[in-house]
Amino acid sequence: MKKTVLITGTSSGIGKAAVIYFSEKGWNVAATMRNPQKETKLNKLPNVRLYTLDVTDEASIKIAIDSAITDFGDIDVIVNNAGYGAVGIFEKATPEQIQKQFDTNVFGVMNVTRQILPYFRKKRSGTIINVTSMGGLITFPIYSVYHGTKWAIEGWSEALSYELKPLGIKVKTVEPSAIKTDFYDRSQDLFQNAAITDYDNYEQVTLSNSQKAGETAPGPEVVAKEIFNAATETNFSIHHPVGGQAPLLLLLRRILPLSWFMGIVRSVVEKGFKGSLS
């Protein structure tokens, strides 16, 4: 019997790549997004069906999950991929931008998970995969709010795994390093406040260096493959870092004093910055 995965945030980037990869591997795929009527590629793939799902709307989550179970007969894996990237100087962020970041990246993941748990609990099996980020394990300048959401999901996922393991339910996190997607352009929301100018030089330099990392990064296909690996492994391991820099960065973060590691980050992300903010 074919296995079925439901993936959120599949209109672009990692989510779309994951739909394609699972379909190629013969899985049934429930590809969810806020506006499936705009999608022209995924609906042509074998064993793929599109569903409307907004992670901030619990009614739409329930309808999508129930519909996928009806259509495919089962859901074996949930991939919480939908995310929102807001970056920039924290002081420039509006309360609305901060709220949206947490509503999508934290509460959205919790909403989807809460809706699937009764089904997984009843059948005593299932896998929940949360696509977080290397930014949930380490930090960089101008990503403070984004990091806050990803660190929250990393901690929540670890704690949740204790509760769900006795029920046969796996919790896994996939932590991409820089990946070439529209995270760095179309989907990115930059905090702006023309009245605050003290950070301008620092912001310009760090933002430019961060964008360069995205331009030279591998594509989302490498993350899709790791998501599939996490979905098909039989053990209860949690963390799955992926991307060219991920293993090295995690190793350095583990073995170096924090001040040394932060110095390495500064040497890369703050490269070209002269002077101080004062």
Side-chain angles (χ1 to χ4, degrees):
M1 182 176 176
K2 286 185 178 180
K3 290 198 171 185
T4 299
V5 58
L6 184 147
I7 307 172
T8 68
T10 62
S11 61
S12 64
I14 292 170
K16 177 168 279 191
V19 173
I20 296 170
Y21 196 86
F22 274 88
S23 175
E24 290 174 346
K25 293 296 184 179
W27 281 50
N28 296 321
V29 185
T32 76
M33 59 192 76
R34 287 179 296 177
N35 299 296
Q37 65 276 11
K38 296 181 180 180
E39 178 57 45
T40 60
K41 181 179 180 180
L42 297 182
N43 53 352
K44 298 176 182 177
L45 297 177
N47 309 314
V48 173
R49 296 197 182 190
L50 307 188
Y51 301 88
T52 301
L53 189 154
D54 180 341
V55 298
T56 65
D57 179 355
E58 295 203 46
S60 78
I61 299 169
K62 186 178 189 309
I63 292 171
I65 288 175
D66 290 347
S67 298
I69 293 171
T70 298
D71 292 341
F72 292 118
D74 195 7
I75 292 178
D76 300 283
V77 177
I78 287 279
V79 178
N80 285 307
N81 167 75
Y84 161 64
V87 304
I89 299 300
F90 172 73
E91 191 181 349
K92 295 184 179 183
T94 66
E96 292 77 17
Q97 286 173 312
I98 296 171
Q99 187 69 51
K100 182 179 179 181
Q101 184 93 119
F102 276 83
D103 282 345
T104 303
N105 293 5
V106 179
F107 304 128
V109 173
M110 292 180 176
N111 290 340
V112 175
T113 302
R114 191 165 52 245
Q115 289 288 349
I116 195 61
L117 278 179
Y119 181 76
F120 281 175
R121 180 162 44 82
K122 184 177 180 180
K123 68 174 191 171
R124 288 297 194 270
S125 68
T127 300
I128 298 162
I129 301 175
N130 298 323
V131 180
T132 63
S133 168
M134 286 300 295
L137 301 169
I138 59 179
T139 62
F140 304 102
I142 70 171
Y143 281 81
S144 60
V145 179
Y146 180 78
H147 283 313
T149 64
K150 295 303 184 178
W151 280 65
I153 289 300
E154 283 288 339
W156 173 74
S157 297
E158 279 196 18
L160 185 64
S161 70
Y162 288 105
E163 302 171 18
L164 299 185
K165 186 175 181 180
L167 300 174
I169 303 169
K170 303 178 182 70
V171 179
K172 298 177 180 293
T173 59
V174 173
E175 299 109 351
S177 58
I179 300 294
K180 190 175 180 58
T181 69
D182 62 1
F183 175 85
Y184 292 95
D185 42 70
R186 181 181 66 83
S187 65
Q188 193 173 84
D189 187 4
L190 180 65
F191 302 143
Q192 299 183 58
N193 187 330
I196 301 175
T197 60
D198 290 343
Y199 302 96
D200 285 359
N201 184 28
Y202 184 82
E203 180 181 38
Q204 181 180 3
V205 169
T206 53
L207 183 61
S208 175
N209 288 333
S210 297
Q211 299 282 24
K212 289 176 184 176
E215 292 170 1
T216 59
E221 295 78 16
V222 299
V223 186
K225 183 178 180 180
E226 189 60 38
I227 293 171
F228 183 80
N229 291 340
T232 53
E233 66 185 7
T234 58
N235 61 49
F236 282 79
S237 66
I238 299 175
H239 299 288
H240 296 74
V242 60
Q245 301 172 338
L248 176 60
L249 286 171
L250 282 180
L251 175 63
L252 293 176
R253 181 65 179 86
R254 247 188 341 259
I255 66 175
L256 294 178
L258 179 58
S259 60
W260 291 16
F261 182 79
M262 292 182 72
I264 293 173
V265 172
R266 288 193 180 99
S267 71
V268 176
V269 186
E270 297 180 356
K271 184 178 180 181
F273 174 63
K274 305 295 183 182
S276 65
L277 297 180
S278 59

